[in-house]
Amino acid sequence: MQNQDDNLLKFDIPEIIYGRGSLSKIGQCAARLGGEKVFVVTDSGIINAGWLDKTLEYLKQEGLRYIVYDNVVTNPRDFQAEHGVQLYLKKDCDVIIALGGGSPIDTAKGIAILATNHGSINEYSGCNLVLHPIPPLVCVPTTAGTGADISQFAVFLDIKKKMKMCILSRTIMPDISLIDPELLRSLSPELIAATGMDTLTHAIEAYVSSLSWPMTDPHAIHSIKLVAEHLVNAVKTKDITALEGMSIASLEAGMAFSNAILGAVHALSHPLGGLYDLHHGLVNSVILPAVLGQNLSHAIPKFAHISKALGLKSKGMSIEDAALHTPEKVKELIEALGLPTRLSKMGVDAGDIPIMAEMAKDDICMLTNPCSYSKENIEAMYREVW
Amino acid sequence: MQNQDDNLLKFDIPEIIYGRGSLSKIGQCAARLGGEKVFVVTDSGIINAGWLDKTLEYLKQEGLRYIVYDNVVTNPRDFQAEHGVQLYLKKDCDVIIALGGGSPIDTAKGIAILATNHGSINEYSGCNLVLHPIPPLVCVPTTAGTGADISQFAVFLDIKKKMKMCILSRTIMPDISLIDPELLRSLSPELIAATGMDTLTHAIEAYVSSLSWPMTDPHAIHSIKLVAEHLVNAVKTKDITALEGMSIASLEAGMAFSNAILGAVHALSHPLGGLYDLHHGLVNSVILPAVLGQNLSHAIPKFAHISKALGLKSKGMSIEDAALHTPEKVKELIEALGLPTRLSKMGVDAGDIPIMAEMAKDDICMLTNPCSYSKENIEAMYREVW
């Protein structure tokens, strides 16, 4: 993003450690980053699943002290980062571990930003406004979808404006992402489905983004293939091979979107998260087919690849024809997952569409969509899936 | 490598900044890493091409002071790292820039290792023996082949033993790789060809390595495709599109091999570099077909992909048949490049083959080859291309 003006491209990701049972390395990771007193950010779901206890055990084995902060909710609020950092500073912690899905990871990033940059989190909404390096940060994702463990993004709910704000800054890249697919076993089928659709949205948006390049493309397209191959099975059976497939899909989508950025699906999704506090992955899933229909003609060859990656038998088809099948292939997947397809069924008031369209138009993610949209275009897409 | 025992996999790369003209950001990169007095490691070829002057100009623009160290030769010697670090420490430098091909980059890594770990460079030969973090390191590759700007490897010539030694350590990963394909324009056609074959060797060895995984595979195979598409043209025309293709091929091969490690080609190549001081890329190119012939049966599906990536029209062929065409496709490329194909033409004495086979057998790169080889097997491969 910061390099768009001068045609430079970037690729930056954390160190990745991957494998079943890799959670056992969490203490070594924190120690290697210089940690003596670890600040663990997590939520009640993770605690109930038993993953926090295991984590603390591994920290103890490494001789580390720790403080746990579990005041985290879905769609984390701005004031929560400010609340968390007070504890971090008061307790003299020196490394942060985020253990959880997107919400604990984003909350941890917010705490990390304020620990060294001070002020309120809302000041950092936008591109590269976080100037000072954050404390060492290790992320342990417990969902396969957010990509927050790999990305330079953090998203908070601005409570006053009822708006999601995106912080996009090279300085907030985690140091290590420790990915243990075993952790996905405690997820509900609904959450596997919704976070899986978040992964698919990341991969598709990054693949057709105006900042995509040969470093991001192979990961984006491979992620789409893995979702097509594993998501339904992961939801229905929680088979470990399927969960591993989804955890790699999420990782690769994260590598792609953190560097190629996103597009209109996220721009339209953020206002719904802000106004209605809906689950980000679910909202992306509902919006995705409508945006695909409009984006298609602006990236025909890439959408043809996406269709094929989603399983389209394209033999004998023209590239245009193959591309046109993308929304249909995505809808087939959403149907197989049993996810909702209409905003009206999720409590969204059609009267809010104009104000949401205004917010979506100005969303930072719209900048890298393969084409630009007027407020009217955006309203039409919302209405298509209302 | 360090994680092989417990089935964990890793993926770690520097921050990558890519694009024509990106050299102009070198001062900003050094400053962002906290640099005030930069230690620039380069060689006479780079100075003659004018790239050092440009680099120093950009450092001045950023208000940085600098010291230049240009005492670098092909196949850098152990004592050179020890010599360089004395100057680094005496002059109180705080950031290292490596500007050049594999030799300046490896020399810079050696200096960086000794700056914080002390002793002699030979003490660090092996796996993860560099315990202390190195000073901030920015690499600016001027060839498209070495991958040293992306990797956790540094290779030095042990002068007493007349042996190449591999240092493989997570701590020696550069912080930033700044890749400007314009810099390739000053290379000779011979050097583009030899370093391009180094890239191809990295990509093939990483793709079939026992530590390859979905993070490394897409980059390895894409790198092979780019070499097939661009290398001959880059050598013959120095067309900037072909040079860009090769610089991305080198980058992706580096991402793959730094994390999946290498194989028998490098194991057989290192003794030749050690005993005869031959160019690493050239030696790899000569050895590659012989190793492919023996490795084939241990990774049939992957070699079928490699053949296709190299341009094999495989329609109607079985996977086995497609795989079997790999050595032939590689030989076609070597012939098109006009590179040597026999060790006897490069001054190698057949009487040294037994001792080289002994060294190759114990080379660290042999550990991740898809199969293991006896000393007799290795001698036979050397003799095949002698």
Side-chain angles (χ1 to χ4, degrees):
Chain A
M1 203 77 171
Q2 62 275 33
N3 293 319
Q4 199 172 20
D5 293 340
D6 44 18
N7 290 314
L8 298 190
L9 293 157
K10 70 180 178 68
F11 192 74
D12 193 13
I13 56 172
E15 177 180 341
I16 293 159
I17 299 172
Y18 176 88
R20 296 188 206 175
S22 59
L23 182 62
S24 65
K25 305 291 176 193
I26 185 69
Q28 290 168 37
C29 288
R32 178 151 64 85
L33 295 173
E36 293 181 2
K37 193 169 184 187
V38 182
F39 194 74
V40 184
V41 181
T42 190
D43 66 24
S44 56
I46 305 303
I47 296 174
N48 294 336
W51 301 124
L52 178 67
D53 283 347
K54 284 210 165 187
T55 300
L56 299 182
E57 195 49 49
Y58 294 130
L59 297 181
K60 273 185 246 170
Q61 283 172 17
E62 202 66 27
L64 298 167
R65 290 174 297 152
Y66 52 77
I67 297 291
V68 175
Y69 180 78
D70 63 358
N71 185 14
V72 172
V73 294
T74 307
N75 294 320
R77 280 76 171 130
D78 43 13
F79 63 83
Q80 291 176 314
E82 291 147 34
H83 177 244
V85 77
Q86 288 172 20
L87 187 66
Y88 175 88
L89 294 172
K90 186 176 154 200
K91 296 289 185 180
D92 267 332
C93 295
D94 47 22
V95 165
I96 301 178
I97 291 176
L99 174 70
S103 300
I105 295 175
D106 278 357
T107 303
K109 283 179 173 172
I111 292 168
I113 291 167
L114 296 182
T116 47
N117 291 269
H118 313 296
S120 82
I121 196 72
N122 312 55
E123 296 167 35
Y124 302 100
S125 173
C127 218
N128 281 325
L129 299 176
V130 180
L131 299 183
H132 301 291
I134 61 173
L137 173 62
V138 185
C139 294
V140 185
T142 59
T143 64
T146 167
D149 52 308
I150 306 292
S151 83
Q152 304 170 40
F153 282 85
V155 182
F156 282 87
L157 196 56
D158 183 322
I159 282 296
K160 271 196 205 139
K161 295 186 186 162
K162 276 202 164 193
M163 234 175 98
K164 279 215 173 183
M165 56 180 173
C166 268
I167 300 168
L168 170 50
S169 215
R170 68 200 319 166
T171 44
I172 68 171
M173 175 69 74
D175 293 279
I176 298 177
S177 174
L178 182 73
I179 301 171
D180 184 344
E182 298 273 9
L183 304 193
L184 303 179
R185 281 189 151 149
S186 56
L187 289 177
S188 68
E190 294 72 26
L191 208 50
I192 297 174
T195 51
M197 286 304 295
D198 197 16
T199 288
L200 181 64
T201 307
H202 291 152
I204 292 177
E205 296 221 284
Y207 191 57
V208 301
S209 155
S210 58
L211 283 181
S212 65
W213 69 298
M215 286 305 105
T216 59
D217 282 347
H219 292 294
I221 203 76
H222 190 242
S223 174
I224 296 168
K225 280 183 198 163
L226 288 172
V227 170
E229 191 178 340
H230 294 295
L231 180 54
V232 172
N233 202 23
V235 169
K236 296 201 169 155
T237 69
K238 289 201 199 176
D239 169 68
I240 188 69
T241 308
L243 293 174
E244 283 183 326
M246 284 309 300
S247 73
I248 292 184
S250 173
L251 165 56
E252 294 204 70
M255 291 166 71
F257 92 77
S258 183
N259 291 289
I261 319 297
L262 294 158
V265 181
H266 276 76
L268 269 72
S269 173
H270 288 149
L272 284 156
L275 290 175
Y276 292 97
D277 211 9
L278 296 168
H279 186 275
H280 176 65
L282 267 189
V283 177
N284 279 346
S285 179
V286 175
I287 302 271
L288 181 58
V291 171
L292 289 177
Q294 298 303 310
N295 271 355
L296 271 184
S297 60
H298 299 275
I300 289 286
K302 283 205 157 179
F303 278 109
H305 284 297
I306 292 172
S307 277
K308 288 180 212 170
L310 286 169
L312 178 72
K313 306 274 178 247
S314 63
K315 207 174 164 181
M317 267 186 209
S318 69
I319 290 177
E320 286 75 9
D321 275 354
L324 288 174
H325 281 78
T326 312
E328 165 202 316
K329 295 303 293 177
V330 169
K331 284 179 192 168
E332 280 172 17
L333 177 61
I334 295 170
E335 194 176 337
L337 295 169
L339 290 174
T341 58
R342 307 223 68 90
L343 296 174
S344 52
K345 299 283 168 64
M346 300 167 81
V348 176
D349 181 349
D352 282 337
I353 287 178
I355 185 151
M356 294 196 303
E358 195 66 59
M359 290 156 92
K361 196 170 173 302
D362 295 335
D363 191 280
I364 201 170
C365 293
M366 203 57 109
L367 292 172
T368 44
N369 196 64
C371 60
S372 61
Y373 289 118
S374 68
K375 187 169 171 257
E376 291 66 34
N377 296 147
I378 298 171
E379 286 193 24
M381 288 190 276
Y382 276 128
R383 289 190 204 286
E384 189 183 327
V385 293
W386 183 72
Chain B
M1 205 78 169
Q2 63 271 35
N3 293 319
Q4 199 172 17
D5 292 340
D6 43 16
N7 290 315
L8 299 189
L9 292 157
K10 71 183 178 64
F11 192 74
D12 192 14
I13 55 170
E15 178 180 341
I16 293 159
I17 300 172
Y18 176 88
R20 295 188 207 176
S22 60
L23 182 61
S24 66
K25 305 291 176 194
I26 185 67
Q28 290 168 37
C29 288
R32 178 150 66 83
L33 295 173
E36 293 181 1
K37 194 171 184 185
V38 182
F39 194 73
V40 184
V41 181
T42 190
D43 67 23
S44 56
I46 305 303
I47 296 175
N48 294 337
W51 302 124
L52 178 67
D53 284 348
K54 283 208 166 185
T55 300
L56 299 181
E57 194 50 48
Y58 294 129
L59 296 180
K60 274 186 245 169
Q61 284 172 16
E62 203 66 27
L64 299 168
R65 291 172 298 151
Y66 52 79
I67 297 291
V68 175
Y69 180 78
D70 64 359
N71 185 14
V72 172
V73 294
T74 308
N75 295 322
R77 279 77 170 130
D78 44 13
F79 63 84
Q80 291 176 313
E82 290 147 35
H83 177 244
V85 77
Q86 288 172 20
L87 187 66
Y88 175 89
L89 294 172
K90 186 176 153 198
K91 296 289 185 181
D92 267 332
C93 295
D94 47 22
V95 165
I96 301 178
I97 292 176
L99 174 70
S103 301
I105 295 175
D106 278 356
T107 304
K109 283 180 173 171
I111 292 168
I113 291 167
L114 297 182
T116 48
N117 291 269
H118 314 294
S120 82
I121 196 71
N122 312 54
E123 295 167 36
Y124 302 100
S125 174
C127 219
N128 281 324
L129 299 176
V130 181
L131 299 183
H132 300 292
I134 61 172
L137 173 61
V138 185
C139 294
V140 185
T142 60
T143 64
T146 167
D149 52 307
I150 305 294
S151 84
Q152 303 169 42
F153 282 86
V155 181
F156 282 87
L157 196 55
D158 183 321
I159 282 297
K160 272 196 207 140
K161 296 187 187 162
K162 276 204 164 190
M163 233 175 99
K164 279 213 172 184
M165 55 180 174
C166 267
I167 300 168
L168 169 51
S169 217
R170 67 202 318 167
T171 43
I172 68 171
M173 175 68 75
D175 293 280
I176 299 177
S177 174
L178 183 73
I179 301 170
D180 185 343
E182 298 273 10
L183 305 192
L184 303 179
R185 283 190 149 149
S186 55
L187 290 178
S188 69
E190 293 73 25
L191 208 49
I192 297 174
T195 51
M197 286 304 295
D198 197 17
T199 288
L200 180 64
T201 308
H202 292 152
I204 292 177
E205 296 220 284
Y207 190 56
V208 301
S209 155
S210 58
L211 283 180
S212 64
W213 68 300
M215 286 305 105
T216 58
D217 281 347
H219 292 294
I221 203 77
H222 191 241
S223 175
I224 296 168
K225 281 184 198 163
L226 287 171
V227 171
E229 190 179 340
H230 293 296
L231 180 53
V232 172
N233 201 22
V235 169
K236 294 198 170 157
T237 69
K238 287 200 199 178
D239 170 67
I240 187 69
T241 307
L243 294 174
E244 283 183 326
M246 283 309 300
S247 72
I248 292 183
S250 173
L251 165 56
E252 293 203 72
M255 291 166 72
F257 92 77
S258 183
N259 292 289
I261 320 297
L262 293 158
V265 182
H266 277 76
L268 269 72
S269 173
H270 288 148
L272 284 156
L275 290 176
Y276 293 96
D277 210 10
L278 295 169
H279 186 276
H280 175 66
L282 266 190
V283 177
N284 278 347
S285 179
V286 175
I287 302 272
L288 182 57
V291 171
L292 289 176
Q294 298 303 310
N295 271 355
L296 269 184
S297 60
H298 300 274
I300 290 285
K302 283 205 157 177
F303 278 109
H305 285 297
I306 291 172
S307 278
K308 288 181 211 169
L310 287 169
L312 178 73
K313 305 277 179 247
S314 62
K315 208 174 164 181
M317 267 184 209
S318 69
I319 290 176
E320 285 75 10
D321 275 354
L324 289 174
H325 281 79
T326 311
E328 164 202 316
K329 295 304 292 179
V330 168
K331 284 179 191 167
E332 282 172 16
L333 178 60
I334 294 170
E335 193 177 336
L337 295 169
L339 289 174
T341 57
R342 307 223 68 91
L343 296 174
S344 52
K345 300 284 169 64
M346 298 166 83
V348 176
D349 181 348
D352 283 337
I353 287 178
I355 185 153
M356 293 196 304
E358 196 65 58
M359 290 156 91
K361 196 171 174 301
D362 295 336
D363 192 282
I364 200 171
C365 293
M366 203 58 107
L367 291 173
T368 44
N369 196 65
C371 60
S372 60
Y373 289 117
S374 67
K375 185 167 171 259
E376 291 67 35
N377 296 147
I378 297 171
E379 285 193 24
M381 289 189 276
Y382 276 128
R383 290 190 205 284
E384 188 183 327
V385 294
W386 183 72

